[in-house]
Amino acid sequence: MTQNLAANSATRAAPDDGKGRFATLTFERDVAAPLAALWEAWTAPAARAIWAAPSPSVTVEFLEADTRVGGREISLCKVEGQPDIRCECGWLVLQPEMRSVNYEVISSEGVTQSAALVTTDFEGANERSRLVVTVQLSSLAQDMEADYREGFGAGLDNLAGAAERTMVLQRVIQAPRSIVWGAWMNSETLPQWWGPEGFSCRTKRIDLRAGGEWVFDMIAPDGTVFPNHHLYNEVRPEERIGYTLHWGENGPKHADAWASFADQDGATKVTLGMVFSTAAEFQEAKGFGAVELGQQTLGKLEHFVASR
């Protein structure tokens, strides 16, 4: 979250007497999105990469992202003409759609600037949700309280915007995670089940690796052809994939997407998330039934796995 601090380059020395070194900050946001969408926007690396930078002048480069208890996220916040800011986030608690707790250490040019404990509580009903973020901050090399207030404020505004155009589909499939992953990340089997009921896939090229792509047409029951282009940017075997959705080969991007796979009582919980590029595209997708059609796609995956 505090990669946003690079937007404010002012340096204030931390008081020698210790006053001002410690602060407890609270941030709240009401979000026009279901709780599941807010949680995914908060935790999924593909989504965090979308809302992390507070302004176009700031670039955030993710070096590592492992969103599970004991995992960590490392990013570099870059502003032209200023030293990079390194942010290390370590996940301590992840209670889905309820609470997350993480530590955060900020450094620049090898000097640790601050350390913080970040506790985030979630609640929601229907199409509305809310989060409360409590930051227990220790400023070290400089007074960081004002920067944290600005950085978290901008970040949470961006988060709310991303969550409000996030679509989340989930399904529990009665099969081990290795089997479900194998059906998804296999160039022979993926085209056999992908798409809603009655749709088929016609593949032009497929390479299911990080840096790879899937160029294909989805063909509706009435013969209508929908060109698709998936570009894969992350593949963590049996954990998650991250990719972008484009309107046809080299066409405009319309969403950033990810799929995650988690064990659940001997079965596999599949979560498919998409952050649409604009609110208008999100509303258009909802309007033509993308949620229902997406659930049909996951249903076809379930039937495919059961038939093997």
Side-chain angles (χ1 to χ4, degrees):
M1 173 67 76
T2 321
Q3 50 262 36
N4 297 296
L5 299 181
N8 182 355
S9 59
T11 300
R12 296 172 295 279
D16 292 337
D17 61 7
K19 295 180 180 179
R21 284 185 180 272
F22 307 104
T24 298
L25 313 176
T26 302
F27 306 86
E28 302 179 18
R29 289 294 187 277
D30 292 309
V31 183
L35 184 55
L38 177 59
W39 175 261
E40 285 294 309
W42 177 257
T43 57
R48 289 172 66 82
I50 293 169
W51 57 262
S55 69
S57 64
V58 180
T59 301
V60 179
E61 177 185 356
F62 284 83
L63 306 180
E64 184 177 328
D66 187 358
T67 311
R68 57 184 171 180
V69 174
R72 67 177 185 173
E73 176 182 285
I74 298 176
S75 59
L76 294 178
C77 184
K78 302 182 177 184
V79 176
E80 186 175 358
Q82 297 181 22
D84 290 350
I85 292 177
R86 181 183 188 273
C87 177
E88 178 180 330
C89 163
W91 297 101
L92 306 174
V93 175
L94 287 167
Q95 298 175 307
E97 301 180 19
M98 294 175 58
R99 170 175 286 186
S100 73
V101 181
N102 65 276
Y103 72 79
E104 189 172 87
V105 178
I106 305 299
S107 60
S108 181
E109 297 185 306
V111 178
T112 301
Q113 305 290 325
S114 64
L117 184 69
V118 181
T119 302
T120 307
D121 292 298
F122 300 80
E123 61 182 13
N126 299 321
E127 296 299 309
R128 304 289 306 188
S129 52
R130 184 171 184 266
L131 79 165
V132 178
V133 182
T134 303
V135 181
Q136 295 168 280
L137 170 66
S138 175
S139 297
L140 300 173
Q142 65 182 65
D143 181 359
M144 299 284 280
E145 181 176 347
D147 288 348
Y148 260 79
R149 290 189 184 278
E150 181 178 344
F152 265 82
L156 291 178
D157 289 343
N158 291 345
L159 167 68
E164 290 171 5
R165 59 181 196 273
T166 295
M167 186 175 292
V168 176
L169 309 172
Q170 295 179 319
R171 195 177 191 95
V172 176
I173 297 177
Q174 298 300 316
R177 185 161 44 140
S178 60
I179 300 299
V180 178
W181 173 269
W184 193 304
M185 296 302 288
N186 181 307
S187 61
E188 295 295 327
T189 59
L190 175 60
Q192 295 181 40
W193 60 263
W194 184 265
E197 294 290 344
F199 282 69
S200 61
C201 292
R202 181 172 57 207
T203 296
K204 297 179 180 178
R205 295 192 306 278
I206 187 167
D207 181 2
L208 302 177
R209 298 177 295 177
E213 62 181 350
W214 183 21
V215 181
F216 65 105
D217 293 328
M218 278 208 313
I219 305 172
D222 64 2
T224 303
V225 176
F226 298 93
N228 282 261
H229 191 184
H230 294 182
L231 291 173
Y232 297 92
N233 49 56
E234 181 185 39
V235 176
R236 293 176 64 94
E238 298 189 18
E239 292 184 16
R240 70 172 185 264
I241 59 175
Y243 57 104
T244 56
L245 307 179
H246 297 253
W247 296 116
E249 185 171 3
N250 301 314
K253 184 178 79 171
H254 65 94
D256 293 90
W258 62 93
S260 63
F261 306 79
D263 295 325
Q264 184 168 307
D265 300 324
T268 302
K269 182 178 182 180
V270 178
T271 299
L272 178 59
M274 291 162 280
V275 181
F276 288 84
S277 299
T278 65
E281 288 180 293
F282 173 70
Q283 292 300 329
E284 181 180 358
K286 286 184 66 177
F288 70 66
V291 173
E292 295 78 8
L293 296 174
Q295 289 292 0
Q296 289 180 21
T297 298
L298 293 181
K300 285 175 63 180
L301 168 62
E302 183 174 31
H303 295 150
F304 180 85
V305 169
S307 67
R308 306 290 283 181

